[in-house]
Amino acid sequence: MSKAKLIRGPVYVLEDNIDTDLLIPACYLNLVPTIPEEYKKLGSYALAGLPDSFPKFASNPDGSTPYPIVIGGRNFGCGSSREHAPIALGAAGASVVVAQSYARIFFRNCVATGEVFPIESETRLCKEFKTGDEAEVNIEANTVTRLSDGKIFPLKPIGAVAPVIDAGGMFAYARAIGMIKK
Amino acid sequence: MTITEKILARESGASIVQPGDNIWVNAGILLTHDVCGPGTIGIFQQEFGKDAKVFDREKIVILPDHYIYTADVKAHRNIDILRAFVKEQNLPYFYDPGTPSYCGVCHVALPELGHVRPGETIFGTDSHTCTHGALGAFSSGIGNTDAGFIMGTGKLLVKVPPTLRFVLDGKMPSYLSAKDLILHIIGDITVDGATYCAMEFTGSAIEALSIEERCTICNMAVEAGAKNGIIAPDQKTFDYVNARTKKPYEPLYSDRDAKIQAEYRYDVSKLEPVVAKPHLPDNKALARDCRDVKVTQVYIGSCTGGKLEDFIMAAQLLKGRKVAIKTLIVPATRHVEQGLIDTKIDGQSLRAIFEAAGVEPIAPPSCAACLGGPIDTFGRTHGNEVVVSTTNRNFIGRMGSKDSQVYLASPYTAAATAIKGTITDPRDL
Ligand code: SF4
């Protein structure tokens, strides 16, 4: 995960039980993430399953997102094992999700792919931010700062998967510890 | 140790493991399908090289099932990617659409084909891989990257889950099914009540269930966030498995004094038919409390509710009656499809019963509208349909349209609803 550990920009705010069908609807699962053009396409459909009352996530003209930070509530990423979900967020240009808790496979897929950092918040941030607010996530200091008033919210340390994240994903980790050849 | 811990310990070469341990576990089976297989293959080739060989040809099972009966060009391209890989690697277990080997929904086909054996580990690129714990295996869903890793190494880094034990005793009332049991449990513990945990199901009511009904329960473990669902194997399991494979296996069982995180007890004789209302599987309500809900279509299919016994349950109610609303029947596999012809109630085949009741023309086996899919998918919703479905997820847009509403229910409740046109407790017919 060769991504910056300081992420600054507008946030996109979601609540509890954001499922993988919202993150990437099944009609786009015909796209194969390892094919570069299709990887990019997946990004343009990130969060396309949200009801139409939500602002479009990948709203830049080139199909990327103006929101590098996604904030969620509990059980973020529940549902299917489709790796297309974290990939869509990452391909759109998001770098980090900050949620109260994660569904297991989504969390694992974030770590394994290195597409986005899945960070847990200590508090219910989806009540503290609204979409478009500017924030700064500091992954080393475990904080997120609301830039409008400088208020700092604590994040949970990344925990047992830190070595995999630090290495840059599952394959990089396995190479680093000699599980597979360089 | 619990059965889950024992299987993980044996497959990691450790004598003891504890919840929270991160261990490298051998994969007994790697399962993939048309939606995640091409990406998995892509990762495998990127990371291990174009000429790399899979870790063990005998341990990879590819069951395309999601986007089969569609004109979608990419869907066909994806199956071609699978075909080319299978040929290059000379893989023996590929069930190719359009050929006699095609089966249908992977989680119904995998045990049918004898690929599920007690005491083994199964990893699959599909969250409902947890189904196969019903036969006493450790079975869990993973993403493409982890699957690509297994394809090359045969191993996966696994965090040992703590176990939640669900003890179900008592005699099943008429018209209650395994689907009701698991919807009750998910309703009680919520959609993240078992996150990262193993859900172990035990008790006399579980022992009394058939293998297919046990599969229905473990299938939905992921809907509570679980890593795996598991049921200790018994004579029923061995009879089922031995009829389908000659490969040897060694079952494992939880110790009497195994440490668990929590225990939940149910007397199933007191439970009633339920539905999960839109838009979460834990949004439980008694079927009889939803009598006012007008329904526009009923869907009976998927890895949860498209097995032969699901159709037997539906046919018991539909026999000699007419459906009042659009009713869609999707057998999960070819084997189930054949079973609709071969299985008879009072001399009438299930297929004949359904046709006489006025259901839509029966679809060929696949995942179909369970997950929406390409625009031309059979049964997909396109507007503000209200669906009662035997599938496992009712998220917004899951069956296609963001404006449709999906109620999850048992095959009995789905069939009763098809007859009345409003949500109907099957006991009220
Ligand atoms: S039937 Fe539905 S839940 Fe089951 S594997 Fe297919 S899409 Fe997934």
Side-chain angles (χ1 to χ4, degrees):
Chain A
M1 208 169 290
S2 55
K3 289 206 160 115
K5 300 222 163 168
L6 201 62
I7 300 142
R8 184 191 264 255
V11 300
Y12 193 90
V13 181
L14 296 160
E15 294 205 345
D16 296 335
N17 304 314
I18 296 303
D19 63 75
T20 48
D21 286 273
L22 296 177
L23 284 161
I24 184 80
C27 53
Y28 306 122
L29 298 184
N30 56 0
L31 299 168
V32 175
T34 45
I35 299 174
E37 314 85 77
E38 298 188 16
Y39 171 86
K40 233 184 127 215
K41 253 221 141 127
L42 276 168
S44 70
Y45 296 128
L47 284 165
L50 285 171
D52 300 335
S53 53
F54 282 75
K56 195 166 155 53
F57 178 72
S59 60
N60 289 338
D62 66 350
S64 68
T65 181
Y67 308 101
I69 301 163
V70 176
I71 287 179
R74 288 164 55 99
N75 200 30
F76 193 96
C78 59
S80 97
S81 63
R82 58 187 76 161
E83 205 163 274
H84 309 67
I87 287 175
L89 292 176
S95 304
V96 61
V97 181
V98 183
Q100 265 175 299
S101 64
Y102 291 90
R104 177 188 69 80
I105 309 178
F106 177 84
F107 182 85
R108 169 88 183 204
N109 285 345
C110 289
V111 173
T113 58
E115 285 286 338
V116 283
F117 289 110
I119 314 269
E120 284 184 359
S121 59
E122 294 275 4
T123 53
R124 193 163 172 77
L125 290 183
C126 56
K127 291 285 169 241
E128 302 285 348
F129 286 86
K130 51 185 192 341
T131 294
D133 286 353
E134 294 279 334
E136 184 177 271
V137 177
N138 186 327
I139 286 166
E140 257 146 18
N142 296 317
T143 56
V144 51
T145 307
R146 188 165 63 199
L147 295 184
S148 60
D149 60 357
K151 185 158 183 203
I152 296 175
F153 303 91
L155 301 176
K156 289 189 188 159
I158 193 91
V161 296
V164 183
I165 288 192
D166 285 341
M170 195 62 209
F171 279 92
Y173 173 70
R175 290 197 172 92
I177 63 164
M179 254 302 289
I180 55 176
K181 285 202 284 297
K182 299 259 174 205
Chain B
M1 287 191 286
T2 65
I3 175 172
T4 295
E5 290 156 6
K6 282 192 188 171
I7 297 171
L8 291 175
R10 184 164 75 192
E11 290 308 319
S12 70
S15 50
I16 293 179
V17 298
Q18 286 183 347
D21 288 355
N22 285 294
I23 53 173
W24 291 98
V25 175
N26 294 319
I29 291 287
L30 173 65
L31 164 71
T32 192
H33 51 48
D34 54 315
V35 159
C36 294
T40 298
I41 292 165
I43 301 262
F44 169 75
Q45 292 174 333
Q46 255 168 33
E47 298 288 343
F48 294 100
K50 278 267 168 234
D51 303 324
K53 288 282 165 217
V54 301
F55 79 104
D56 186 341
R57 294 167 49 241
E58 290 287 324
K59 292 185 174 169
I60 293 175
V61 178
I62 306 182
L63 279 154
D65 55 358
H66 279 57
Y67 302 159
I68 306 302
Y69 300 99
T70 169
D72 188 271
V73 173
K74 285 214 168 61
H76 289 278
R77 185 268 324 255
N78 290 348
I79 293 171
D80 286 338
I81 293 176
L82 298 177
R83 289 186 180 124
F85 186 70
V86 163
K87 193 155 172 240
E88 172 208 316
Q89 301 277 338
N90 192 19
L91 300 181
Y93 301 122
F94 174 54
Y95 301 92
D96 193 358
T99 76
S101 72
Y102 174 67
C103 290
V105 177
C106 63
H107 302 307
V108 179
L110 199 73
E112 267 176 8
L113 293 162
H115 291 304
V116 181
R117 293 171 289 266
E120 301 199 351
T121 59
I122 299 168
F123 296 101
T125 60
D126 190 286
S127 58
H128 293 105
T129 304
C130 55
T131 306
H132 313 296
L135 283 81
F138 173 86
S139 194
S140 190
I142 57 174
N144 297 355
T145 299
D146 282 336
F149 191 89
I150 291 177
M151 227 175 222
T153 65
K155 289 183 192 300
L156 188 68
L157 186 59
V158 174
K159 183 154 127 188
V160 179
T163 291
L164 306 179
R165 185 187 290 148
F166 296 83
V167 186
L168 285 75
D169 287 312
K171 190 174 170 320
M172 283 285 269
S174 317
Y175 302 114
L176 199 78
S177 75
K179 181 68 173 289
D180 296 295
L181 302 181
I182 191 65
L183 287 178
H184 269 287
I185 290 172
I186 297 166
D188 292 345
I189 69 170
T190 79
V191 286
D192 64 355
T195 297
Y196 281 97
C197 297
M199 291 172 85
E200 185 175 323
F201 303 96
T202 165
S204 58
I206 296 291
E207 284 162 26
L209 291 178
S210 67
I211 297 300
E212 285 193 6
E213 285 278 87
R214 293 180 192 180
C215 285
T216 303
I217 294 201
C218 288
N219 174 274
M220 289 193 72
V222 69
E223 261 53 75
K227 180 171 239 166
N228 65 310
I230 198 158
I231 293 173
D234 59 9
Q235 195 54 46
K236 269 186 210 169
T237 321
F238 304 140
D239 291 346
Y240 180 97
V241 173
N242 296 343
R244 289 164 176 82
T245 180
K246 296 270 165 305
K247 290 209 175 132
Y249 56 88
E250 248 182 89
L252 288 168
Y253 300 92
S254 291
D255 294 325
R256 279 192 174 282
D257 59 352
K259 280 205 200 71
I260 53 164
Q261 184 166 299
E263 184 173 281
Y264 302 80
R265 290 191 163 266
Y266 287 85
D267 176 354
V268 302
S269 70
K270 301 212 161 62
L271 299 180
E272 298 186 63
V274 277
V275 297
K277 297 192 288 183
H279 293 285
L280 282 175
D282 65 1
N283 201 3
K284 172 175 82 169
L286 292 178
R288 62 183 166 84
D289 289 342
C290 299
R291 281 193 187 116
D292 298 338
V293 178
K294 272 186 71 80
V295 177
T296 61
Q297 94 186 32
V298 163
Y299 185 94
I300 307 178
S302 88
C303 55
T304 317
K307 300 177 263 60
L308 187 56
E309 288 176 23
D310 298 309
F311 292 112
I312 293 174
M313 288 183 240
Q316 282 167 0
L317 295 183
L318 286 168
K319 190 165 189 312
R321 295 191 172 102
K322 291 274 180 209
V323 299
I325 50 176
K326 187 172 173 187
T327 301
L328 306 156
I329 303 270
V330 189
T333 62
R334 294 266 289 258
H335 182 76
V336 176
E337 186 182 42
Q338 186 59 40
L340 297 184
I341 297 167
D342 298 342
T343 311
K344 302 207 162 71
I345 301 179
D346 301 333
Q348 200 178 7
S349 75
L350 303 185
R351 184 174 253 279
I353 291 170
F354 293 140
E355 283 168 355
V359 305
E360 299 295 304
I362 295 174
S366 82
C367 293
C370 171
L371 86 163
I375 207 84
D376 59 350
T377 301
F378 178 84
R380 187 185 194 277
T381 58
H382 294 281
N384 57 0
E385 294 92 334
V386 178
V387 190
V388 167
S389 177
T390 64
T391 55
N392 46 41
R393 286 186 179 140
N394 55 352
F395 303 148
I396 294 171
R398 170 70 180 182
M399 293 188 89
S401 165
K402 289 181 197 176
D403 300 322
S404 63
Q405 306 205 23
V406 179
Y407 290 75
L408 305 177
S410 76
Y412 286 129
T413 302
T417 300
I419 293 160
K420 293 279 188 196
T422 49
I423 291 183
T424 302
D425 183 320
R427 298 168 302 179
D428 288 347
L429 271 189

